Amino acid sequence: MSDVLLDLQHISVDIDEKPVLCDIALKINKGETHVLMGPNGAGKSTLGNVVMGNPAYTLTHGTITFEGNDITEEKADARAKAGIFLSFQNPLEVPGISLETFMRSAIQQRTGERVKLFQFQKDLQATMTLLNMDFSYAARDLNVGFSGGERKKSEILQLLMLNPKFAILDETDSGLDVDAVRTVSKGIEEYKTHHDGTLLIITHSTKILEALHVDFVHVIVKGRIVKTGDRSLVAEINKNGFEQFEAVVQ
């Protein structure tokens, strides 16, 4: 059986008749951690949204295969049930729905099974403790009044509780202080080591990568993946920036 979990073939996307992704090809095997880096506006978040099935983005060409199944035409909820997770760069507030209620509903939708309240609350409290989140946040409306750091922790909480097969983390370290980055990284490492998770981390920074094992780094510029390498590529980017790659797609 193939170890390929996600297979993107010749992915191209236009927005308002303007190309934003051009002939993207990417294979991610089970258990791997891939990092997607590039300058602002390069198409990093667009690629994450396309994999998740965001209806605002329409493929003009290409196929998306997950666990050997063609999901190119599947809607976002079907992809979520199949085991794909996307953390948002700017998590939205959801007034009227508590964090705890949201999590219970999401798990039930994900698994198709009734959630046992006692075990759920036990798991929720343990996971919130791991992320240094006060348990009182469980009763608060989702992300309403949360600081930027608490919103990002909430996203990692959802990741750990939902236990998806594949997670896309979009700028999870954006705007976080050193302590918050350390806590979020701890949650990501928990997903990797105890949930056998597979990751695509989208970032233009490298703080969140310091404590993680990285298998592949991809550089995207103007909608094209222009270079793929190992973790050493991160150090190269830190030293020389993205200008060295931009000339490739002039």
mmCIF file of all heavy atoms in Angstrom, residues 60-86:
data_model
loop_
_atom_site.group_PDB
_atom_site.id
_atom_site.type_symbol
_atom_site.label_atom_id
_atom_site.label_comp_id
_atom_site.label_asym_id
_atom_site.label_seq_id
_atom_site.Cartn_x
_atom_site.Cartn_y
_atom_site.Cartn_z
ATOM 1 N N THR A 60 -8.548 25.728 -11.812
ATOM 2 C CA THR A 60 -8.662 25.798 -13.266
ATOM 3 C C THR A 60 -8.024 24.575 -13.909
ATOM 4 O O THR A 60 -8.288 24.267 -15.070
ATOM 5 C CB THR A 60 -7.984 27.070 -13.808
ATOM 6 O OG1 THR A 60 -6.613 27.096 -13.400
ATOM 7 C CG2 THR A 60 -8.691 28.312 -13.282
ATOM 8 N N HIS A 61 -7.186 23.888 -13.126
ATOM 9 C CA HIS A 61 -6.524 22.696 -13.646
ATOM 10 C C HIS A 61 -5.963 21.907 -12.473
ATOM 11 O O HIS A 61 -5.617 22.462 -11.438
ATOM 12 C CB HIS A 61 -5.381 23.079 -14.590
ATOM 13 C CG HIS A 61 -4.792 21.903 -15.327
ATOM 14 N ND1 HIS A 61 -5.480 21.245 -16.323
ATOM 15 C CD2 HIS A 61 -3.605 21.265 -15.206
ATOM 16 C CE1 HIS A 61 -4.727 20.252 -16.784
ATOM 17 N NE2 HIS A 61 -3.581 20.237 -16.124
ATOM 18 N N GLY A 62 -5.919 20.581 -12.614
ATOM 19 C CA GLY A 62 -5.247 19.740 -11.639
ATOM 20 C C GLY A 62 -6.177 18.860 -10.827
ATOM 21 O O GLY A 62 -7.407 18.970 -10.906
ATOM 22 N N THR A 63 -5.571 17.961 -10.038
ATOM 23 C CA THR A 63 -6.325 17.028 -9.200
ATOM 24 C C THR A 63 -5.720 16.979 -7.805
ATOM 25 O O THR A 63 -4.515 17.178 -7.608
ATOM 26 C CB THR A 63 -6.309 15.600 -9.788
ATOM 27 O OG1 THR A 63 -4.955 15.150 -9.921
ATOM 28 C CG2 THR A 63 -6.995 15.558 -11.136
ATOM 29 N N ILE A 64 -6.589 16.684 -6.837
ATOM 30 C CA ILE A 64 -6.186 16.513 -5.445
ATOM 31 C C ILE A 64 -6.613 15.116 -5.014
ATOM 32 O O ILE A 64 -7.804 14.772 -5.070
ATOM 33 C CB ILE A 64 -6.838 17.560 -4.531
ATOM 34 C CG1 ILE A 64 -6.477 18.979 -5.003
ATOM 35 C CG2 ILE A 64 -6.417 17.355 -3.076
ATOM 36 C CD1 ILE A 64 -7.226 20.072 -4.261
ATOM 37 N N THR A 65 -5.652 14.323 -4.581
ATOM 38 C CA THR A 65 -5.933 12.964 -4.123
ATOM 39 C C THR A 65 -5.539 12.832 -2.661
ATOM 40 O O THR A 65 -4.443 13.259 -2.272
ATOM 41 C CB THR A 65 -5.155 11.928 -4.957
ATOM 42 O OG1 THR A 65 -5.475 12.114 -6.341
ATOM 43 C CG2 THR A 65 -5.517 10.513 -4.555
ATOM 44 N N PHE A 66 -6.438 12.260 -1.859
ATOM 45 C CA PHE A 66 -6.188 12.065 -0.430
ATOM 46 C C PHE A 66 -6.461 10.606 -0.087
ATOM 47 O O PHE A 66 -7.549 10.100 -0.352
ATOM 48 C CB PHE A 66 -7.088 12.986 0.402
ATOM 49 C CG PHE A 66 -6.809 12.957 1.883
ATOM 50 C CD1 PHE A 66 -5.628 13.485 2.393
ATOM 51 C CD2 PHE A 66 -7.729 12.406 2.762
ATOM 52 C CE1 PHE A 66 -5.370 13.461 3.751
ATOM 53 C CE2 PHE A 66 -7.479 12.377 4.119
ATOM 54 C CZ PHE A 66 -6.293 12.903 4.624
ATOM 55 N N GLU A 67 -5.474 9.935 0.452
ATOM 56 C CA GLU A 67 -5.547 8.502 0.752
ATOM 57 C C GLU A 67 -5.975 7.686 -0.471
ATOM 58 O O GLU A 67 -6.740 6.737 -0.370
ATOM 59 C CB GLU A 67 -6.505 8.238 1.915
ATOM 60 C CG GLU A 67 -6.000 8.710 3.254
ATOM 61 C CD GLU A 67 -6.810 8.168 4.402
ATOM 62 O OE1 GLU A 67 -8.062 8.323 4.365
ATOM 63 O OE2 GLU A 67 -6.239 7.614 5.353
ATOM 64 N N GLY A 68 -5.508 8.102 -1.623
ATOM 65 C CA GLY A 68 -5.805 7.382 -2.857
ATOM 66 C C GLY A 68 -7.141 7.710 -3.474
ATOM 67 O O GLY A 68 -7.477 7.182 -4.544
ATOM 68 N N ASN A 69 -7.922 8.599 -2.847
ATOM 69 C CA ASN A 69 -9.239 8.973 -3.364
ATOM 70 C C ASN A 69 -9.188 10.373 -3.963
ATOM 71 O O ASN A 69 -8.636 11.301 -3.355
ATOM 72 C CB ASN A 69 -10.278 8.937 -2.240
ATOM 73 C CG ASN A 69 -10.418 7.564 -1.626
ATOM 74 O OD1 ASN A 69 -10.563 6.567 -2.332
ATOM 75 N ND2 ASN A 69 -10.354 7.487 -0.297
ATOM 76 N N ASP A 70 -9.774 10.536 -5.128
ATOM 77 C CA ASP A 70 -9.835 11.836 -5.780
ATOM 78 C C ASP A 70 -10.868 12.707 -5.054
ATOM 79 O O ASP A 70 -12.064 12.408 -5.059
ATOM 80 C CB ASP A 70 -10.234 11.662 -7.253
ATOM 81 C CG ASP A 70 -10.129 12.957 -8.042
ATOM 82 O OD1 ASP A 70 -10.128 14.041 -7.431
ATOM 83 O OD2 ASP A 70 -10.062 12.888 -9.287
ATOM 84 N N ILE A 71 -10.393 13.784 -4.412
ATOM 85 C CA ILE A 71 -11.297 14.666 -3.664
ATOM 86 C C ILE A 71 -11.406 16.039 -4.326
ATOM 87 O O ILE A 71 -11.895 16.985 -3.713
ATOM 88 C CB ILE A 71 -10.843 14.819 -2.201
ATOM 89 C CG1 ILE A 71 -9.447 15.475 -2.136
ATOM 90 C CG2 ILE A 71 -10.844 13.478 -1.480
ATOM 91 C CD1 ILE A 71 -9.058 15.930 -0.737
ATOM 92 N N THR A 72 -10.980 16.133 -5.580
ATOM 93 C CA THR A 72 -10.934 17.423 -6.271
ATOM 94 C C THR A 72 -12.271 18.149 -6.235
ATOM 95 O O THR A 72 -12.318 19.378 -6.094
ATOM 96 C CB THR A 72 -10.494 17.227 -7.738
ATOM 97 O OG1 THR A 72 -9.292 16.448 -7.778
ATOM 98 C CG2 THR A 72 -10.247 18.560 -8.412
ATOM 99 N N GLU A 73 -13.356 17.404 -6.346
ATOM 100 C CA GLU A 73 -14.687 18.011 -6.381
ATOM 101 C C GLU A 73 -15.402 17.970 -5.027
ATOM 102 O O GLU A 73 -16.540 18.447 -4.922
ATOM 103 C CB GLU A 73 -15.554 17.302 -7.436
ATOM 104 C CG GLU A 73 -14.966 17.310 -8.845
ATOM 105 C CD GLU A 73 -14.814 18.711 -9.407
ATOM 106 O OE1 GLU A 73 -15.624 19.589 -9.044
ATOM 107 O OE2 GLU A 73 -13.874 18.928 -10.195
ATOM 108 N N GLU A 74 -14.765 17.416 -4.023
ATOM 109 C CA GLU A 74 -15.406 17.302 -2.708
ATOM 110 C C GLU A 74 -15.480 18.661 -2.013
ATOM 111 O O GLU A 74 -14.579 19.492 -2.130
ATOM 112 C CB GLU A 74 -14.637 16.319 -1.817
ATOM 113 C CG GLU A 74 -14.634 14.888 -2.317
ATOM 114 C CD GLU A 74 -15.951 14.177 -2.040
ATOM 115 O OE1 GLU A 74 -16.873 14.797 -1.497
ATOM 116 O OE2 GLU A 74 -16.035 12.982 -2.384
ATOM 117 N N LYS A 75 -16.546 18.866 -1.238
ATOM 118 C CA LYS A 75 -16.702 20.104 -0.481
ATOM 119 C C LYS A 75 -15.862 20.043 0.799
ATOM 120 O O LYS A 75 -15.384 18.986 1.212
ATOM 121 C CB LYS A 75 -18.173 20.336 -0.144
ATOM 122 C CG LYS A 75 -19.027 20.598 -1.384
ATOM 123 C CD LYS A 75 -20.463 20.897 -1.004
ATOM 124 C CE LYS A 75 -21.303 21.195 -2.245
ATOM 125 N NZ LYS A 75 -22.729 21.481 -1.906
ATOM 126 N N ALA A 76 -15.717 21.191 1.437
ATOM 127 C CA ALA A 76 -14.844 21.297 2.605
ATOM 128 C C ALA A 76 -15.272 20.378 3.744
ATOM 129 O O ALA A 76 -14.426 19.773 4.415
ATOM 130 C CB ALA A 76 -14.802 22.743 3.093
ATOM 131 N N ASP A 77 -16.588 20.240 3.971
ATOM 132 C CA ASP A 77 -17.031 19.401 5.086
ATOM 133 C C ASP A 77 -16.696 17.934 4.847
ATOM 134 O O ASP A 77 -16.327 17.207 5.783
ATOM 135 C CB ASP A 77 -18.526 19.586 5.364
ATOM 136 C CG ASP A 77 -19.403 19.207 4.182
ATOM 137 O OD1 ASP A 77 -18.902 19.184 3.043
ATOM 138 O OD2 ASP A 77 -20.599 18.920 4.407
ATOM 139 N N ALA A 78 -16.772 17.497 3.596
ATOM 140 C CA ALA A 78 -16.412 16.114 3.265
ATOM 141 C C ALA A 78 -14.919 15.893 3.467
ATOM 142 O O ALA A 78 -14.488 14.827 3.945
ATOM 143 C CB ALA A 78 -16.811 15.795 1.829
ATOM 144 N N ARG A 79 -14.124 16.879 3.133
ATOM 145 C CA ARG A 79 -12.680 16.761 3.329
ATOM 146 C C ARG A 79 -12.339 16.739 4.815
ATOM 147 O O ARG A 79 -11.434 16.012 5.238
ATOM 148 C CB ARG A 79 -11.958 17.911 2.620
ATOM 149 C CG ARG A 79 -12.216 17.933 1.117
ATOM 150 C CD ARG A 79 -11.369 18.972 0.402
ATOM 151 N NE ARG A 79 -11.869 19.190 -0.958
ATOM 152 C CZ ARG A 79 -11.181 19.732 -1.939
ATOM 153 N NH1 ARG A 79 -9.928 20.115 -1.734
ATOM 154 N NH2 ARG A 79 -11.707 19.908 -3.135
ATOM 155 N N ALA A 80 -13.062 17.534 5.598
ATOM 156 C CA ALA A 80 -12.836 17.528 7.046
ATOM 157 C C ALA A 80 -13.172 16.165 7.643
ATOM 158 O O ALA A 80 -12.437 15.636 8.482
ATOM 159 C CB ALA A 80 -13.659 18.622 7.707
ATOM 160 N N LYS A 81 -14.280 15.587 7.218
ATOM 161 C CA LYS A 81 -14.663 14.266 7.711
ATOM 162 C C LYS A 81 -13.667 13.200 7.281
ATOM 163 O O LYS A 81 -13.449 12.212 7.994
ATOM 164 C CB LYS A 81 -16.068 13.915 7.215
ATOM 165 C CG LYS A 81 -17.178 14.731 7.867
ATOM 166 C CD LYS A 81 -18.542 14.389 7.286
ATOM 167 C CE LYS A 81 -19.633 15.239 7.915
ATOM 168 N NZ LYS A 81 -20.970 14.963 7.317
ATOM 169 N N ALA A 82 -13.023 13.402 6.125
ATOM 170 C CA ALA A 82 -12.018 12.450 5.655
ATOM 171 C C ALA A 82 -10.727 12.541 6.454
ATOM 172 O O ALA A 82 -9.895 11.633 6.403
ATOM 173 C CB ALA A 82 -11.729 12.698 4.177
ATOM 174 N N GLY A 83 -10.564 13.674 7.195
ATOM 175 C CA GLY A 83 -9.395 13.791 8.058
ATOM 176 C C GLY A 83 -8.454 14.921 7.727
ATOM 177 O O GLY A 83 -7.300 14.918 8.156
ATOM 178 N N ILE A 84 -8.914 15.938 6.990
ATOM 179 C CA ILE A 84 -8.083 17.106 6.676
ATOM 180 C C ILE A 84 -8.488 18.258 7.593
ATOM 181 O O ILE A 84 -9.674 18.518 7.804
ATOM 182 C CB ILE A 84 -8.231 17.516 5.204
ATOM 183 C CG1 ILE A 84 -7.818 16.360 4.282
ATOM 184 C CG2 ILE A 84 -7.394 18.752 4.896
ATOM 185 C CD1 ILE A 84 -8.015 16.655 2.800
ATOM 186 N N PHE A 85 -7.481 18.948 8.128
ATOM 187 C CA PHE A 85 -7.702 20.044 9.083
ATOM 188 C C PHE A 85 -6.923 21.263 8.613
ATOM 189 O O PHE A 85 -5.781 21.154 8.183
ATOM 190 C CB PHE A 85 -7.213 19.609 10.470
ATOM 191 C CG PHE A 85 -7.233 20.686 11.518
ATOM 192 C CD1 PHE A 85 -8.338 20.865 12.322
ATOM 193 C CD2 PHE A 85 -6.117 21.493 11.724
ATOM 194 C CE1 PHE A 85 -8.350 21.847 13.311
ATOM 195 C CE2 PHE A 85 -6.121 22.477 12.707
ATOM 196 C CZ PHE A 85 -7.234 22.654 13.502
ATOM 197 N N LEU A 86 -7.549 22.431 8.714
ATOM 198 C CA LEU A 86 -6.885 23.688 8.386
ATOM 199 C C LEU A 86 -7.040 24.654 9.543
ATOM 200 O O LEU A 86 -8.160 24.975 9.953
ATOM 201 C CB LEU A 86 -7.488 24.299 7.114
ATOM 202 C CG LEU A 86 -7.036 25.725 6.760
ATOM 203 C CD1 LEU A 86 -5.554 25.760 6.415
ATOM 204 C CD2 LEU A 86 -7.863 26.290 5.597
#
